[in-house]
Amino acid sequence: MTTLAVDCMGGDHGPRVTLAACRRFLDSHADARLLLVGLPEALKDFSHARASVVPASEVVGMDDPIEVALRRKKQSSMRIAIEQVHSGAAQAAVSAGNTGALMAIARYVLKTLDGIDRPAIASQLPNDKGGATTVLDLGANVDCSAEHLLQFAVMGSALVAALGGAAQPTVGLLNIGEEAIKGSEVIKRAGELLRAAGAAGTINFYGNVEGNDIFKGTADIVVCDGFVGNVALKASEGVASMIVGGLKQEFKRNLFTKLAALIAYPVLAALMKRMDYRRYNGAALLGLRGLVFKSHGSADELAFELALARAYDAARNNLLDRVRTRIDSAAPLLSADTAERSTATAQ
Amino acid sequence: MTTLAVDCMGGDHGPRVTLAACRRFLDSHADARLLLVGLPEALKDFSHARASVVPASEVVGMDDPIEVALRRKKQSSMRIAIEQVHSGAAQAAVSAGNTGALMAIARYVLKTLDGIDRPAIASQLPNDKGGATTVLDLGANVDCSAEHLLQFAVMGSALVAALGGAAQPTVGLLNIGEEAIKGSEVIKRAGELLRAAGAAGTINFYGNVEGNDIFKGTADIVVCDGFVGNVALKASEGVASMIVGGLKQEFKRNLFTKLAALIAYPVLAALMKRMDYRRYNGAALLGLRGLVFKSHGSADELAFELALARAYDAARNNLLDRVRTRIDSAAPLLSADTAERSTATAQ
C-alpha cells in the first residue's frame, strides 16, 4: 500500500479539480491510499474506502509571500500535507499551490538530505524523440556552484530511474556550446566535476548540451542553475504559445481558412496531444528527506491525476533511497573537490 | 551614398548566396554602394556600377578557432571587410561567418567605444504582437555585471530607435519573476541601475520580464547576460523546430492527413511566413567604434539581403552616433555607480 498526502486546497481551482482527480486516481490505482488535506467543509462530500480526510484550517494563497506561508499559516493544508510525509503517515505529498511557499515549507519541515546543499525542482519537457527530457533546476536556486550542479545531476539520475526511465540515464550540462572550454567559470568547473563523476560511474555524463538539445532529447537529463532553467522553460512556453496562437489566428482569417481548420483539426489535435503539457505535470522537489511533488497551478483533473501518479510511482520505486544511495556514491567526488579547493585557497 | 563592406566568403554557402543577395540589395537600394571583399577568383563574374571588389587572400572557416582567425589569418575577407569600416571606406560591415571570430576581429580592429566595457550581440525575435523584440546579449559575454546590463539597455535603445522602432523603446530586464526582489544579486543590482536610468530619462525602463515575455512582446528590448540569452534563444529554436517537425509528421501520417495538409497548406504557409527567421536576420555587434552586422551562417539570398538592409538602415540613421550620445548621457549613472561602489569597498 502506498499512501499519498494531497493538498486539496492548492491550485487555481482547488477541491473542484483536486477531488475529482483524486477519485480518478483511486479508481485506477487499487494499491493506493490518499490522505485528503483541506478545510473539512470543502471536503465533506467526498468519500472513498481508501481515502481519509486530514483537516486543515488555513489555505496558502497563490500570491501569499513565502514568509506568510511559512511563519503565519502553520495550519495550512500545504503544510499539513507535508507533515504527513514527515511523520511517516504518507510516502509523498502533492500540491498545486504556490511553488515558492511549497519549497520553503518542505525544506523547513523535512530538511535536506545529507550531502545536499540545496533542493532542486525537476520537471519533464516533451522532446522530438516522443519522450521527455528531465530538466533541473527550474527555479529554486538562482546562483549555483559546480558542486550544486553535480548534486542536481545525481538526484536527476535517481528520479529518471525511479520513474521507469533508463537505469543509467545520460546527463547533459546546459552550456552555450558543445566544447568543454565554453561557458562561465562555474560551468567549466561543473563540466570537470561531471566528467569525473562520469568516469567514476556515478552518473552517465553525456557532455555539454545547448538550449535546443532539451527539445531534441539529446540527453535524458539536462542540468542548469535555476535562473537559466526558469528562463529556458518560460521562453519555450512563450514560443509554443505564440505558434499555437498564430495557428488559431491564421485558421480564423476567412471562410476558406475556417474550412481548412475543420479538415486539419484531427491532425492538429493529434499534435497537441503529443505536446500536451498535462502529460508532463508533476515536478519533483528533490534533495529533501521526504518526497514532495508540485503540480501546475492551472492543472485540470487529468493533469492533477498525472501528478498524483508520478508521486505514487516515485514513492513505490523508493526514489528517496535511490537519491540517498547515489548521493553517497558521489560523496568522495564532492568532498575530494571541497578538500582540493581548500588546498587551492590555502596556497 | 552609404557604403557597406560585405564579407562575401562567409556563411555556409559563400559567394553563391552572398553575391546573389548583393545584387538584389543593390537593385532595391539606389543610394547604396558595396565593397565586395573576398578571393578575386570567386568574385570575378560579378559586376555592378555601384560595387567594387576588395581582394582578400584568406577565408575564416566556420570551425576556425578564434585564435587562428585573429592571429594567423590577417588577410581574411572577414578582417578586410572590418578594416574597410575602420579606415572609413565603408560605414558598416556585414558577414555571415563564425560569430566568435567576427566579434574578436571586430573588437581588435575597431576597439570598443568609450564607456563600454564589453560589446554585445543584439538580435530580433518575432513576437505575438506581429513585431519583434530586440534581445541582447545573445552570447558574447557569459558573466555580466549590473553595469554591463545597463550598457546593453542603452545600446539596445539606440539600435531600436535607429532601425525605425520607437524613439524611446521600453526595456525589460530578464528575470525569473516580475517582483523587484527576485533574481541573483547581479540582477537585483541591475534592476536598481535600470530603474535609476529610467528615472533619469536615459532609457524607458519597463521593469522585470520573464522568458515568455520575449515572445509576448511585453517590452521592445530585453536585456540579459550572454549565457542566459543564448540558452533562451536556442531553447526557443528547439521548441519551434519540435512543433514544426511534429506538424509535418502528423500531416504525413496517412492519406486523410495528407489531404488535410494540402488544404491547410496555405494557412500554414502564412503562419510560417510570419515567423520566418529570415525576416529577422542581421544581428548587430554593439559597443564598437564602427558598425558590424552578423548574418546567420545558413542565410539564403533573402535572409542575407535583409541583413544588408539592416546594416544599411543602421548606417544611414547614424546608429554609431546614437549609441555614443546615449552612452554619454548614461555616463553619470555608470560613474556615480562606480564611485559609490569604490566607497563601499573602501569602508
Side-chain angles (χ1 to χ4, degrees):
Chain A
M1 198 69 132
T2 301
T3 305
L4 304 179
V6 185
D7 167 11
C8 294
M9 309 305 293
D12 300 345
H13 314 295
R16 184 170 58 79
V17 159
T18 56
L19 289 180
C22 284
R23 182 166 304 282
R24 290 169 61 140
F25 171 78
L26 286 165
D27 288 347
S28 59
H29 293 78
D31 185 39
R33 227 165 62 87
L34 296 181
L35 303 179
L36 309 172
V37 188
L39 306 179
E41 178 60 25
L43 309 180
K44 70 176 173 5
D45 294 335
F46 189 94
S47 91
H48 190 286
R50 285 178 280 116
S52 47
V53 169
V54 179
S57 59
E58 290 169 302
V59 175
V60 172
M62 292 306 265
D63 298 323
D64 273 346
I66 289 176
E67 273 305 295
V68 170
L70 189 61
R71 312 269 169 227
R72 304 229 194 106
K73 294 192 169 175
K74 299 195 175 171
Q75 297 303 314
S76 71
S77 56
M78 186 186 274
R79 179 147 179 174
I80 293 175
I82 293 171
E83 282 169 351
Q84 304 309 303
V85 176
H86 183 59
S87 71
Q91 281 86 61
V94 180
S95 174
N98 175 339
T99 312
L102 185 67
M103 179 56 100
I105 295 174
R107 216 172 152 163
Y108 180 80
V109 172
L110 297 172
K111 314 297 180 212
T112 50
L113 286 169
D114 288 335
I116 297 293
D117 300 317
R118 300 185 185 186
I121 300 177
S123 196
Q124 293 194 318
L125 296 175
N127 67 33
D128 260 346
K129 294 187 174 163
T133 305
T134 297
V135 185
L136 70 167
D137 176 38
L138 283 173
N141 307 286
V142 290
D143 287 306
C144 290
S145 70
E147 289 73 21
H148 296 145
L149 292 168
L150 173 57
Q151 292 167 14
F152 297 170
V154 170
M155 295 193 293
S157 300
L159 177 68
V160 169
L163 292 182
Q168 294 299 339
T170 52
V171 177
L173 174 63
L174 191 57
N175 203 337
I176 58 172
E178 285 164 24
E179 310 83 357
I181 56 150
K182 291 268 186 178
S184 65
E185 290 311 312
V186 168
I187 293 293
K188 284 185 219 168
R189 172 96 197 108
E192 288 169 22
L193 266 183
L194 291 170
R195 245 183 308 285
T202 308
I203 60 168
N204 181 1
F205 185 47
Y206 171 86
N208 286 336
V209 296
E210 300 187 66
N212 49 342
D213 289 306
I214 297 172
F215 302 97
K216 274 192 192 165
T218 307
D220 299 316
I221 298 164
V222 171
V223 294
C224 55
D225 75 44
F227 192 98
V228 171
N230 186 286
V231 168
L233 177 69
K234 289 193 179 151
S236 311
E237 287 173 353
V239 172
S241 102
M242 177 175 72
I243 295 178
V244 171
L247 268 176
K248 284 186 185 156
Q249 230 178 340
E250 291 297 340
F251 275 119
K252 277 186 191 155
R253 202 170 281 281
N254 57 43
L255 201 64
F256 170 76
T257 60
K258 281 178 190 162
L259 182 68
L262 275 180
I263 293 168
Y265 181 77
V267 183
L268 297 175
L271 177 70
M272 290 306 151
K273 194 177 167 191
R274 264 173 60 183
M275 301 194 177
D276 190 347
Y277 85 91
R278 296 181 303 174
R279 282 179 54 201
Y280 306 100
N281 192 36
L285 273 55
L286 292 172
L288 301 162
R289 296 173 189 261
L291 299 180
V292 180
F293 280 75
K294 160 79 176 97
S295 158
H296 225 283
S298 65
D300 62 7
E301 278 178 43
L302 171 66
F304 196 78
E305 181 193 357
L306 290 173
L308 293 172
R310 192 148 287 160
Y312 171 81
D313 286 340
R316 211 170 37 106
N317 294 321
N318 302 312
L319 173 57
L320 205 57
D321 289 341
R322 287 172 189 257
V323 171
R324 272 204 193 97
T325 310
R326 287 198 186 236
I327 282 291
D328 287 348
S329 81
L333 271 166
L334 286 163
S335 54
D337 175 67
T338 312
E340 186 186 299
R341 295 184 81 192
S342 317
T343 316
T345 314
Q347 279 167 355
Chain B
M1 198 68 132
T2 301
T3 305
L4 304 179
V6 185
D7 167 12
C8 294
M9 311 305 294
D12 300 346
H13 313 296
R16 183 170 60 77
V17 158
T18 57
L19 289 180
C22 284
R23 183 167 303 283
R24 291 169 60 142
F25 171 77
L26 285 165
D27 288 349
S28 59
H29 293 78
D31 185 40
R33 226 166 63 86
L34 296 182
L35 302 179
L36 309 172
V37 188
L39 306 179
E41 179 61 25
L43 308 180
K44 69 175 176 5
D45 294 335
F46 190 95
S47 92
H48 190 287
R50 286 179 279 115
S52 47
V53 168
V54 178
S57 59
E58 291 169 302
V59 174
V60 172
M62 291 306 267
D63 297 323
D64 274 346
I66 289 176
E67 273 303 295
V68 170
L70 188 61
R71 311 269 170 228
R72 304 228 194 108
K73 294 191 169 173
K74 298 196 175 169
Q75 296 303 315
S76 72
S77 56
M78 186 186 274
R79 178 144 177 177
I80 292 175
I82 293 171
E83 283 169 350
Q84 304 308 303
V85 176
H86 184 59
S87 72
Q91 282 86 61
V94 181
S95 175
N98 172 337
T99 312
L102 185 67
M103 179 55 99
I105 295 174
R107 215 171 153 164
Y108 180 80
V109 172
L110 297 171
K111 315 296 180 213
T112 49
L113 287 169
D114 288 335
I116 298 293
D117 300 317
R118 299 185 185 186
I121 300 176
S123 196
Q124 293 193 317
L125 296 175
N127 66 33
D128 260 346
K129 294 187 174 163
T133 305
T134 297
V135 184
L136 71 168
D137 176 41
L138 283 174
N141 308 287
V142 290
D143 286 306
C144 289
S145 68
E147 290 73 21
H148 296 144
L149 293 168
L150 172 58
Q151 292 167 16
F152 297 169
V154 169
M155 297 194 292
S157 300
L159 177 67
V160 169
L163 292 181
Q168 295 298 340
T170 51
V171 177
L173 173 64
L174 192 56
N175 203 337
I176 57 171
E178 286 165 23
E179 310 83 356
I181 56 149
K182 290 268 185 178
S184 64
E185 290 310 313
V186 168
I187 293 292
K188 283 185 219 168
R189 171 97 197 107
E192 289 168 21
L193 266 182
L194 290 171
R195 246 183 307 284
T202 308
I203 59 168
N204 182 0
F205 186 49
Y206 171 85
N208 285 337
V209 297
E210 300 188 67
N212 50 341
D213 289 306
I214 297 173
F215 302 97
K216 274 192 193 165
T218 307
D220 298 317
I221 298 164
V222 171
V223 296
C224 56
D225 76 43
F227 192 98
V228 172
N230 185 286
V231 168
L233 176 69
K234 290 193 178 151
S236 310
E237 288 173 354
V239 173
S241 103
M242 177 176 71
I243 295 178
V244 171
L247 268 176
K248 284 186 185 157
Q249 232 177 338
E250 291 296 340
F251 274 121
K252 277 186 191 157
R253 202 170 282 283
N254 57 44
L255 201 64
F256 170 76
T257 60
K258 281 179 188 163
L259 182 69
L262 274 180
I263 293 168
Y265 181 77
V267 183
L268 297 175
L271 177 70
M272 290 306 151
K273 194 176 166 191
R274 264 172 61 184
M275 301 194 178
D276 189 348
Y277 85 92
R278 297 180 303 173
R279 283 178 53 201
Y280 306 98
N281 192 35
L285 273 56
L286 292 172
L288 301 162
R289 295 173 191 263
L291 299 181
V292 180
F293 280 75
K294 160 78 177 98
S295 159
H296 225 282
S298 64
D300 63 7
E301 279 179 43
L302 171 66
F304 197 76
E305 182 193 356
L306 290 173
L308 293 172
R310 194 148 286 163
Y312 171 81
D313 286 340
R316 212 168 38 104
N317 295 322
N318 302 312
L319 173 58
L320 205 56
D321 289 340
R322 288 173 188 256
V323 171
R324 272 204 193 95
T325 311
R326 287 197 187 237
I327 282 292
D328 287 348
S329 81
L333 270 167
L334 287 163
S335 54
D337 175 65
T338 311
E340 184 186 299
R341 295 184 83 192
S342 316
T343 317
T345 314
Q347 279 165 355

